[in-house]
Short mmCIF file of all heavy atoms in Angstrom, two decimals:
data_model
loop_
_atom_site.label_atom_id
_atom_site.label_comp_id
_atom_site.label_asym_id
_atom_site.label_seq_id
_atom_site.Cartn_x
_atom_site.Cartn_y
_atom_site.Cartn_z
N LEU R 439 -9.88 5.97 11.22
CA LEU R 439 -10.74 7.08 11.64
C LEU R 439 -11.26 6.79 13.03
O LEU R 439 -11.78 5.70 13.28
CB LEU R 439 -11.91 7.27 10.67
CG LEU R 439 -11.69 8.24 9.51
CD1 LEU R 439 -10.57 7.75 8.60
CD2 LEU R 439 -12.99 8.44 8.72
N SER R 440 -11.14 7.77 13.93
CA SER R 440 -11.63 7.61 15.30
C SER R 440 -12.60 8.74 15.60
O SER R 440 -12.27 9.91 15.38
CB SER R 440 -10.46 7.64 16.29
OG SER R 440 -10.94 7.59 17.63
N CYS R 441 -13.78 8.38 16.10
CA CYS R 441 -14.78 9.41 16.34
C CYS R 441 -15.74 8.96 17.44
O CYS R 441 -16.07 7.77 17.55
CB CYS R 441 -15.57 9.67 15.05
SG CYS R 441 -16.66 11.11 15.14
N ASP R 464 -12.70 5.52 27.85
CA ASP R 464 -12.63 5.60 26.39
C ASP R 464 -11.55 6.58 25.96
O ASP R 464 -10.80 6.32 25.01
CB ASP R 464 -14.00 6.00 25.82
CG ASP R 464 -13.98 6.04 24.30
OD1 ASP R 464 -13.66 5.01 23.69
OD2 ASP R 464 -14.28 7.11 23.74
N GLU R 467 -8.34 4.82 26.07
CA GLU R 467 -8.16 3.89 24.94
C GLU R 467 -7.76 4.65 23.68
O GLU R 467 -6.93 4.18 22.90
CB GLU R 467 -9.43 3.09 24.70
CG GLU R 467 -9.64 1.97 25.69
CD GLU R 467 -10.59 0.91 25.18
OE1 GLU R 467 -10.98 0.98 23.99
OE2 GLU R 467 -10.95 0.01 25.95
N VAL R 468 -8.36 5.80 23.47
CA VAL R 468 -8.00 6.60 22.30
C VAL R 468 -6.55 7.08 22.43
O VAL R 468 -5.80 7.13 21.45
CB VAL R 468 -8.96 7.79 22.13
CG1 VAL R 468 -8.47 8.74 21.03
CG2 VAL R 468 -10.36 7.28 21.78
N LEU R 471 -4.45 4.32 21.35
CA LEU R 471 -4.47 4.22 19.89
C LEU R 471 -3.55 5.27 19.28
O LEU R 471 -2.79 4.99 18.34
CB LEU R 471 -5.91 4.39 19.38
CG LEU R 471 -6.13 4.36 17.87
CD1 LEU R 471 -5.61 3.05 17.28
CD2 LEU R 471 -7.61 4.55 17.55
N GLU R 605 -9.81 1.58 8.53
CA GLU R 605 -10.41 1.12 9.78
C GLU R 605 -11.20 2.28 10.40
O GLU R 605 -10.85 3.45 10.21
CB GLU R 605 -9.29 0.67 10.73
CG GLU R 605 -9.73 -0.16 11.91
CD GLU R 605 -8.52 -0.73 12.66
OE1 GLU R 605 -7.56 -1.17 12.01
OE2 GLU R 605 -8.56 -0.70 13.91
N LEU R 606 -12.25 1.95 11.13
CA LEU R 606 -13.11 2.94 11.75
C LEU R 606 -13.39 2.54 13.18
O LEU R 606 -13.86 1.42 13.43
CB LEU R 606 -14.41 3.06 10.96
CG LEU R 606 -15.51 3.96 11.51
CD1 LEU R 606 -15.03 5.41 11.64
CD2 LEU R 606 -16.75 3.91 10.61
N ARG R 607 -13.07 3.44 14.12
CA ARG R 607 -13.38 3.21 15.53
C ARG R 607 -14.43 4.23 15.95
O ARG R 607 -14.18 5.43 15.95
CB ARG R 607 -12.14 3.37 16.42
CG ARG R 607 -12.41 3.07 17.90
CD ARG R 607 -11.26 3.53 18.77
NE ARG R 607 -11.38 3.08 20.16
CZ ARG R 607 -12.08 3.68 21.11
NH1 ARG R 607 -12.75 4.81 20.83
NH2 ARG R 607 -12.13 3.20 22.34
N LEU R 608 -15.61 3.74 16.28
CA LEU R 608 -16.73 4.60 16.68
C LEU R 608 -17.09 4.34 18.14
O LEU R 608 -17.32 3.19 18.53
CB LEU R 608 -17.97 4.32 15.83
CG LEU R 608 -18.09 5.01 14.48
CD1 LEU R 608 -19.43 4.63 13.84
CD2 LEU R 608 -18.02 6.53 14.62
N ALA R 609 -17.12 5.40 18.92
CA ALA R 609 -17.62 5.32 20.30
C ALA R 609 -18.97 6.02 20.31
O ALA R 609 -19.08 7.20 19.95
CB ALA R 609 -16.65 6.00 21.26
N ARG R 643 -17.68 -3.58 21.85
CA ARG R 643 -17.39 -3.65 23.28
C ARG R 643 -18.17 -2.58 24.03
O ARG R 643 -18.59 -1.58 23.45
CB ARG R 643 -15.88 -3.45 23.55
CG ARG R 643 -15.01 -4.58 23.07
CD ARG R 643 -13.55 -4.34 23.41
NE ARG R 643 -13.04 -3.16 22.75
CZ ARG R 643 -12.70 -2.03 23.36
NH1 ARG R 643 -12.86 -1.91 24.66
NH2 ARG R 643 -12.22 -1.01 22.69
N ILE R 645 -17.95 0.07 27.22
CA ILE R 645 -17.13 0.80 28.19
C ILE R 645 -18.08 1.68 29.00
O ILE R 645 -18.42 2.78 28.59
CB ILE R 645 -16.04 1.65 27.52
CG1 ILE R 645 -15.17 0.81 26.60
CG2 ILE R 645 -15.18 2.34 28.57
CD1 ILE R 645 -14.10 1.59 25.88
N VAL R 650 -18.40 0.79 21.92
CA VAL R 650 -17.27 0.99 21.02
C VAL R 650 -17.33 -0.07 19.94
O VAL R 650 -17.36 -1.28 20.23
CB VAL R 650 -15.92 0.93 21.76
CG1 VAL R 650 -14.76 1.01 20.79
CG2 VAL R 650 -15.83 2.04 22.79
N MET R 651 -17.33 0.38 18.68
CA MET R 651 -17.38 -0.53 17.54
C MET R 651 -16.18 -0.28 16.65
O MET R 651 -15.81 0.87 16.41
CB MET R 651 -18.68 -0.31 16.76
CG MET R 651 -19.92 -0.67 17.55
SD MET R 651 -21.46 -0.21 16.70
CE MET R 651 -21.44 1.56 16.96
#
Side-chain angles (χ1 to χ4, degrees):
L439 269 62
S440 175
C441 190
D464 182 57
E467 283 200 8
V468 172
L471 179 57
E605 196 172 318
L606 175 60
R607 183 193 190 276
L608 276 182
R643 291 182 297 111
I645 305 179
V650 175
M651 295 172 285

